Amino acid sequence: MPSKESWSGRKTNRAAVHKSKQEGRQQDLLIAALGMKLGSQKSSVTIWQPLKLFAYSQLTSLVRRATLKENEQIPKYEKVHNFKVHTFRGPHWCEYCANFMWGLIAQGVKCADCGLNVHKQCSKMVPNDCKPDLKHVKKVYSCDLTTLVKAHITKRPMVVDMCIREIESRGLNSEGLYRVSGFSDLIEDVKMAFDRDGEKADISVNMYEDINIITGALKLYFRDLPIPLITYDAYPKFIESAKIMDPDEQLETLHEALKLLPPAHCETLRYLMAHLKRVTLHEKENLMNAENLGIVFGPTLMRSPELDAMAALNDIRYQRLVVELLIKNEDILF
């Protein structure tokens, strides 16, 4: 007579077989529902493998889209107030200490970007939380880059985004792109359109057929910045990197130089270099490689803080090399 343990083992085996058959039937039903032919265990594995890969790819795609969406969120750039001595009409109170502003003239200072009114001595203690208002920030060109993006609540200056989109949609194969100059009067028209209409400015092919007008407007925006895209503070470190002969050390120094840029400047530079990298991929048609683009954009993005004209002239070759290195190593540096 079989022992109690033997009966228990058989019962467990039957349950396992039943479960296996049930899972097999579910698998067969799913395969049949998908319109696949049933077959041997080997063919079943062959069928299931692509399904698993498809599911994994869909999940990966969802994660990637979520990450991109998160990356596109507008960052909170820090900005100092742009205080200027101001004479207030009528009684005024300091918005920092809440005390009365005494005097008949020049009672305090006012932020030209957000309109904050404070005592001159209080302005030294106000945190860097300026939130520029469009009623105060009335220009696009010649406006501080961080001020512009905060006023328009964008990640980068809309001029850069709009011009690059237009150039990439219809101009990547244009011979001498960025090297050939557009008609200066029409470039000024684009500038005035941005100053007047902001992101509603029309720079389409219907308005400006010559793509060199759009490239000229983009270069003019960078030249007109009161603080260059590669700031005066970071300039010496960038020039230092261009003088280094060892490639690894050169990239390391360049990476350190990028950390010195304000976040809005660094993000705009990253976006521009990615665009210029795409321009070089069409070199056979547009004849513009990284070296040629470096010659064009070096003096456009960098201005020497030195007043010595000879020193600034000597830096031009290093400015070109900095931009060339940024384009070639865009995927590593940013």
Side-chain angles (χ1 to χ4, degrees), residues 224-281:
D224 278 1
L225 283 174
I227 299 173
L229 187 61
I230 293 177
T231 61
Y232 294 122
D233 290 340
Y235 182 92
K237 194 72 173 177
F238 277 94
I239 294 298
E240 179 191 333
S241 70
K243 295 178 179 179
I244 296 171
M245 301 304 294
D246 180 69
D248 293 334
E249 188 183 346
Q250 188 177 58
L251 285 180
E252 184 63 34
T253 307
L254 201 52
H255 189 259
E256 291 298 318
L258 287 168
K259 293 178 182 178
L260 300 175
L261 294 176
H265 283 245
C266 192
E267 166 57 24
T268 304
L269 183 64
R270 179 201 66 78
Y271 190 74
L272 177 64
M273 291 304 113
H275 161 64
L276 295 181
K277 185 74 169 283
R278 289 190 288 274
V279 170
T280 63
L281 298 179

Side-chain angles (χ1 to χ4, degrees), residues 25 38 78 132 152 244 255 261 289 294:
R25 281 197 297 273
L38 296 175
E78 188 180 88
H152 288 268
I244 296 171
H255 189 259
L261 294 176
N289 55 25

